[in-house]
């Protein structure tokens, strides 16, 4: 028992070594340097005359031998190597998507928009040549190739013969005539597939290579989904013309005007999304290239005198879109083949009330649906609606141009690009109205009808381009403000203001010369210290 108490100091001195042996592997223990001296006992330390000097040196030398040994143990242990490997993985982790998209993405979107513009025009030609119902099946993959042998052509022709269009409209059609309308519809479908693939694959590449921002990546996937929806709506539209339950027996076979308008509207939305995002990327890169000039441009666009003009451009875009959709209803009902005169419709500006709201189109006994069914299914009412919307669009565009031209406040602050865009919209609306009237008067000839449909999309393009020049991009404005803040400049209502300007005005409140030179002095990086050295500065 006495031996155990005598050995307590020895056990106490060996405790640190035992703890290190218990919690450190032998390989690391062999590499770690051992402590040169054992820790002194409490008694010897308390009576040592060198304790003050030891404490003073320890305060100036934090990296002692024990801390060095612990760092060596941490670096050479298996857990330390695992920690280093994890840190390397975290450091080499690829960065997130950038804040801005590259210009190549903008060119890609504008090229895709041009392709969509072309397929919209070609789709109008397909409808005008009555080729849309020539292919009676929807085969997205196997239907990409046309028939190659005579047997395959006979098979396709026999399928078309079973459709209502052949029985009621083309009972004397030959195989060569069928091949013409078949190739028209096949080209339209193949073009749509090409647009989908040529948009989806590059979009995946741009996202994988981190050439687009996170917001733009989501928009690209949204546009890709819209393209897929457009294909489904196209077949849904064609399917409505392959059954005779959607029109009266013996009447002219056609696709549903509702489905045709939905198909056309989706194409317009897809085109507008591509065009708008492409223009936004180009504008974003141009503004962020020179934040100081961008801040001046944005401050001009934020002027309260332009608030009405900016909002009017947005309403104008919606009005032009609705007018184009009413044109889809006119095309679906062949309403352009009646009342081929302008501005009159028969004996007056409008047909008789009994013709506009006829009970023939109502499907309910109480007549509660007579209003909206006549507006969407009665050819006379649909044409009148299109005339009213077209006249309203023309009047709104000319009124907005007059407002921007003759209002002194708007004319003083409207940028040159905005004035040029407004003149472009005026020219497009005059051209579109002229082609619309000529199409009506000459009984919808193929070239004029196709040009009129293209003109509607061109007019919408002009309004969108105008909006991209006068609308304030909030996200870009935020990025410009962040970059100006990093460079030491802050955006202000009257332009840029240097952080040292306040000190100059505080130091020289009564000096006209100093007040005149204040904007120049405000740009000096050391201007904030000027007040301490100026001879007129008070304590």
């Amino acid at each position: 028992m006495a031996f155990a108490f005598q050995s307590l100091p020895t056990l106490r001195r060996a405790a640190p070594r035992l703890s290190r042996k218990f919690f450190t592997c032998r390989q690391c223990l062999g590499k770690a340097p051992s402590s040169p001296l054992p820790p002194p006992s409490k008694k010897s330390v308390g009576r040592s005359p060198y304790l003050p000097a030891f404490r003073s040196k320890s305060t100036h030398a934090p990296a002692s031998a024990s801390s060095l040994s612990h760092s060596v143990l941490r670096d050479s242990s298996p857990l330390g190597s695992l920690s280093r490997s994890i840190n390397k993985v975290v450091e080499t982790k690829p960065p997130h998507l950038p804040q801005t998209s590259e210009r190549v993405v903008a060119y890609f979107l504008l090229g895709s928009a041009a392709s969509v513009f072309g397929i919209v025009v070609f789709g109008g030609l397909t409808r005008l040549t009555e080729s849309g119902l020539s292919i009676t099946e929807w085969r997205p993959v196997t239907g990409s190739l046309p028939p190659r042998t005579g047997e395959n052509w006979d098979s396709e022709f026999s399928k078309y013969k079973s459709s209502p269009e052949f029985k009621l409209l083309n009972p004397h059609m030959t195989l060569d005539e069928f091949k013409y309308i078949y190739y028209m519809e096949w080209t339209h479908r193949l073009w749509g597939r090409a647009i989908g693939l040529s948009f989806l694959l590059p979009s995946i590449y741009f996202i994988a290579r981190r050439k687009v921002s996170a917001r733009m990546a989501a928009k690209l996937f949204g546009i890709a989904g819209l393209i897929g929806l457009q294909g489904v709506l196209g077949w849904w539209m064609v399917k409505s013309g392959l059954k005779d339950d959607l029109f009266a027996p013996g009447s002219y076979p056609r696709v549903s005007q509702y489905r045709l308008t939905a198909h056309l509207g989706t194409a317009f939305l897809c085109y507008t999304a591509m065009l708008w995002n492409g223009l936004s990327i180009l504008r974003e890169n141009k503004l962020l290239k020179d934040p100081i000039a961008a801040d001046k441009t944005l401050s001009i666009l934020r002027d309260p005198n332009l608030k009405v003009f900016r909002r009017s451009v947005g309403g104008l875009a919606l009005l032009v879109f609705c007018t184009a959709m009413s044109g889809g209803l006119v095309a679906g009902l062949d309403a352009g083949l009646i009342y081929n005169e302008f501005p009159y419709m028969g004996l007056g500006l409008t047909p008789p009330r009994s013709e506009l709201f006829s009970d023939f189109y109502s499907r309910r006994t109480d007549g509660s649906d007579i209003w909206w069914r006549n507006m969407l299914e009665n050819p006379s009412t649909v044409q009148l609606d299109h005339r009213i919307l077209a006249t309203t669009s023309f009047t709104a565009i000319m009124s907005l141009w007059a407002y921007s031209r003759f209002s002194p406040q708007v004319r003083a602050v409207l940028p040159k690009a905005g004035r040029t865009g407004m003149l472009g919209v005026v020219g497009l609306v005059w051209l579109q109205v002229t082609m619309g009237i000529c199409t009506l008067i000459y009984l919808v000839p193929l070239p004029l009808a196709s040009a009129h449909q293209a003109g509607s999309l061109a007019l919408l393009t002009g309004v969108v381009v105008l909006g991209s020049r006068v609308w304030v991009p909030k996200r870009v404005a935020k990025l410009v403000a962040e970059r100006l803040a990093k460079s030491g400049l802050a955006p202000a209502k009257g332009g840029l203001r240097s952080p040292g300007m306040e000190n100059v005005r505080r130091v020289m409140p009564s000096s006209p010369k100093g007040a005149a030179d204040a904007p120049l002095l405000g740009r000096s990086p050391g201007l904030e210290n000027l007040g301490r050295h100026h001879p007129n500065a008070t304590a």
Side-chain angles (χ1 to χ4, degrees), residues 2-4 34 42 72 88 101 133 154 182 204 206-207 210 220-221 238-239 266 285 299 367 420 430 444 449 452 493:
F3 176 76
S34 59
K42 183 177 180 181
V72 173
K88 289 182 180 179
S101 303
L133 300 178
D154 292 336
Y182 185 94
I204 296 175
F206 289 139
I207 296 173
R210 292 172 175 81
L220 290 179
F221 280 118
V238 171
K239 190 177 179 181
T266 308
N285 283 272
S299 63
T420 306
W430 273 100
V444 195
H452 185 55
K493 293 183 179 180

Side-chain angles (χ1 to χ4, degrees), residues 321-332:
F321 179 81
C322 293
T323 305
M325 294 304 101
S326 69
L329 293 174
V330 172

Side-chain angles (χ1 to χ4, degrees), residues 9 18 55 73 113 126 135 202 292 304 342 357 360 379 392 437 523:
L18 292 175
R55 288 178 177 174
L73 286 173
T126 304
I135 302 178
I292 297 178
F342 189 85
F357 300 99
F360 175 78
T392 305
I437 295 175
R523 299 189 183 118

Side-chain angles (χ1 to χ4, degrees), residues 254-337:
R254 63 170 65 96
V255 298
S256 169
Q257 74 273 15
Y258 299 110
R259 302 185 186 186
L260 174 63
T261 306
H263 186 57
L264 180 66
T266 308
F268 270 56
L269 290 176
C270 186
Y271 169 80
T272 306
M274 293 177 179
L275 176 66
W276 172 252
N277 287 289
L279 294 176
S280 299
I281 294 176
L282 292 178
R283 189 186 188 193
E284 181 179 274
N285 283 272
K286 182 180 179 181
L287 292 176
L288 294 179
K289 188 177 182 180
D290 189 358
I292 297 178
D295 183 75
K296 295 180 180 178
T297 303
L298 295 176
S299 63
I300 293 174
L301 295 179
R302 292 193 192 98
D303 195 290
N305 294 322
L306 286 179
K307 185 176 181 180
V308 176
F309 185 84
R310 293 197 308 267
R311 293 184 176 181
S312 299
V313 173
L316 194 61
L318 182 61
L319 181 60
V320 171
F321 179 81
C322 293
T323 305
M325 294 304 101
S326 69
L329 293 174
V330 172
L333 294 172
D334 290 326
L337 299 176

Side-chain angles (χ1 to χ4, degrees), residues 45 50-67:
V45 171
Y50 302 102
L51 183 59
F54 175 77
R55 288 178 177 174
S56 62
K57 290 182 180 180
S58 62
T59 57
H60 297 286
S64 60
S66 60
S67 62

Side-chain angles (χ1 to χ4, degrees), residues 141-386:
V141 179
T142 59
S144 301
L145 296 177
R148 297 182 179 181
T149 62
E151 183 180 355
N152 293 335
W153 277 112
D154 292 336
S155 176
E156 293 294 331
F157 193 26
S158 62
K159 294 177 183 177
Y160 176 70
K161 289 180 179 179
S162 61
S163 64
E165 185 180 66
F166 178 84
K167 296 177 181 179
L168 300 176
L169 188 64
N170 300 319
H172 304 291
M173 177 176 283
T174 62
L175 181 60
D176 293 336
E177 294 173 342
F178 170 73
K179 287 183 179 180
Y180 173 77
I181 63 173
Y182 185 94
Y183 274 120
M184 288 287 294
E185 175 65 13
W186 175 80
T187 304
H188 182 63
R189 294 190 183 190
L190 185 64
W191 195 343
R193 295 186 184 102
I195 289 176
L197 290 177
S198 63
F199 186 86
L200 181 61
L201 296 181
S203 298
I204 296 175
Y205 170 78
F206 289 139
I207 296 173
R209 299 295 297 176
R210 292 172 175 81
K211 295 181 179 294
V212 297
S213 62
R215 292 168 57 92
M216 188 55 60
K219 292 179 181 179
L220 290 179
F221 280 118
I223 296 175
L226 200 61
I227 295 174
L229 177 64
Q230 174 72 352
V232 175
L233 289 177
W235 169 246
W236 184 55
M237 176 193 66
V238 171
K239 190 177 179 181
S240 65
L242 299 177
K243 298 180 180 180
D244 55 1
D245 56 348
L246 296 179
F247 42 85
S251 63
Y252 188 83
R254 63 170 65 96
V255 298
S256 169
Q257 74 273 15
Y258 299 110
R259 302 185 186 186
L260 174 63
T261 306
H263 186 57
L264 180 66
T266 308
F268 270 56
L269 290 176
C270 186
Y271 169 80
T272 306
M274 293 177 179
L275 176 66
W276 172 252
N277 287 289
L279 294 176
S280 299
I281 294 176
L282 292 178
R283 189 186 188 193
E284 181 179 274
N285 283 272
K286 182 180 179 181
L287 292 176
L288 294 179
K289 188 177 182 180
D290 189 358
I292 297 178
D295 183 75
K296 295 180 180 178
T297 303
L298 295 176
S299 63
I300 293 174
L301 295 179
R302 292 193 192 98
D303 195 290
N305 294 322
L306 286 179
K307 185 176 181 180
V308 176
F309 185 84
R310 293 197 308 267
R311 293 184 176 181
S312 299
V313 173
L316 194 61
L318 182 61
L319 181 60
V320 171
F321 179 81
C322 293
T323 305
M325 294 304 101
S326 69
L329 293 174
V330 172
L333 294 172
D334 290 326
L337 299 176
I338 59 175
Y339 293 113
N340 301 107
E341 52 189 346
F342 189 85
Y344 294 100
M345 297 182 69
L347 299 178
L349 294 176
T350 63
R353 178 183 175 87
S354 58
E355 181 181 349
L356 290 177
F357 300 99
S358 174
D359 297 335
F360 175 78
Y361 297 96
S362 178
R363 299 182 183 179
R364 296 182 180 178
T365 56
D366 57 352
S368 59
D369 59 343
I370 188 173
W371 290 91
W372 69 267
R373 284 198 179 275
N374 277 275
M375 294 182 68
L376 298 177
E377 298 178 2
N378 187 346
S380 301
T381 311
V382 168
Q383 187 188 126
L384 178 62
D385 293 341
H386 186 62

